[in-house]
Amino acid sequence: MAAFDLEEQEQLATLKAWWEKWGNLITAIAVIFAVVVVGWRAWDYYQGSKASEAGAAYTTLIQGVERKDAQKVREASGAIAEKYSGTAYADLSALLAAQVQAETGDKASAKTKLQWAVDKANDPLLRDLARLRLAALLLDEKNFDGALKLLDTKPADAFRARYADLKGDVLSAQGKTDAAKLSYKEALDAIGTEREAQTLKSVVELKYDALGGAQ
């Protein structure tokens, strides 16, 4: 029994010495781990809450779009851009707001929204689409240089044909027939074989032929 007590005391002494050496480190690691876990869960909750709030704001925006309520659209899209700029809702709301504003005659606000999307949208494809729509508005205002500057940016393959087509429109409006034909030809070469693309192909072919491109 005495031998057992002695052995037990030696084990306790060894454990005590080990704890004195490593106990603070283990405690620190445990605290850090707990903080990380709690922080991660809090971040998940925060992100989920923000996404939910952004979704509700986007629903308000959609209601304004459906009713063509320019003021409601402007307020909702502004709130989304300010509070939830890091979400996909911000990208989509900017494009939708610009569409409504352009249709209701507020082209200045539409350009502002599109420029925001060009500069800050999270999705590269949406940035390309915003750039294309902004260039179209600038063409309507006869701001040819501004439109060409936007269209000179290389877009994703999905937008190559539309960029080249609109660039041809700008060059044609400037009276630069040869350059316009080259752009229309580039658009035709970039158009895919999908049935949806055939309408665009027919339109571009008409413009190309009108400039003598088929001769």
Side-chain angles (χ1 to χ4, degrees):
M1 186 71 176
F4 178 78
D5 290 342
L6 181 59
E7 183 180 348
E8 186 178 66
Q9 288 175 9
E10 289 177 349
Q11 290 175 344
L12 289 174
T14 302
L15 178 60
K16 183 179 179 181
W18 182 87
W19 181 257
E20 287 177 352
K21 183 176 182 180
W22 301 106
N24 289 339
L25 177 60
I26 292 172
T27 300
I29 291 173
V31 170
I32 291 171
F33 178 75
V35 169
V36 168
V37 170
V38 171
W40 182 261
R41 289 179 178 175
W43 177 250
D44 277 351
Y45 175 80
Y46 173 76
Q47 290 291 85
S49 177
K50 295 288 280 188
S52 178
E53 292 173 4
Y58 188 72
T59 298
T60 299
L61 173 70
I62 293 297
Q63 292 172 349
V65 170
E66 292 172 347
R67 299 169 186 168
K68 294 199 180 297
D69 185 337
Q71 182 175 350
K72 190 171 187 177
V73 168
R74 182 169 55 253
E75 292 173 352
S77 63
I80 293 172
E82 180 181 353
K83 298 178 182 179
Y84 315 110
S85 60
T87 69
Y89 292 114
D91 301 354
L92 295 171
S93 69
L95 292 173
L96 284 174
Q99 179 180 337
V100 171
Q101 289 163 344
E103 290 174 351
T104 56
D106 188 1
K107 292 188 176 181
S109 294
K111 288 191 294 181
T112 298
K113 286 294 181 186
L114 290 172
Q115 188 63 59
W116 182 94
V118 168
D119 295 335
K120 299 181 179 180
N122 301 284
D123 189 327
L125 287 177
L126 291 182
R127 288 199 297 270
D128 284 343
L129 179 57
R131 195 176 289 111
L132 183 68
R133 291 184 176 178
L134 181 55
L137 286 180
L138 294 180
L139 171 58
D140 288 342
E141 296 177 350
K142 301 187 186 308
N143 183 350
F144 304 130
D145 290 341
L148 288 175
K149 184 177 179 180
L150 288 167
L151 296 171
D152 279 340
T153 302
K154 184 178 180 180
D157 288 345
F159 288 101
R160 278 183 55 212
R162 293 190 178 277
Y163 267 58
D165 174 43
L166 186 56
K167 186 175 182 179
D169 292 346
V170 177
L171 293 169
S172 180
Q174 289 181 301
K176 300 177 179 179
T177 302
D178 290 340
K181 284 193 295 184
L182 288 175
S183 286
Y184 288 141
K185 182 64 169 60
E186 181 183 345
L188 290 171
D189 291 341
I191 291 174
T193 58
E194 301 84 359
R195 183 163 55 179
E196 295 79 4
Q198 299 314 299
T199 300
L200 175 62
K201 182 177 181 180
S202 297
V203 172
V204 177
E205 284 177 339
L206 285 173
K207 291 186 284 189
Y208 182 65
D209 293 346
L211 294 180
Q215 295 179 357

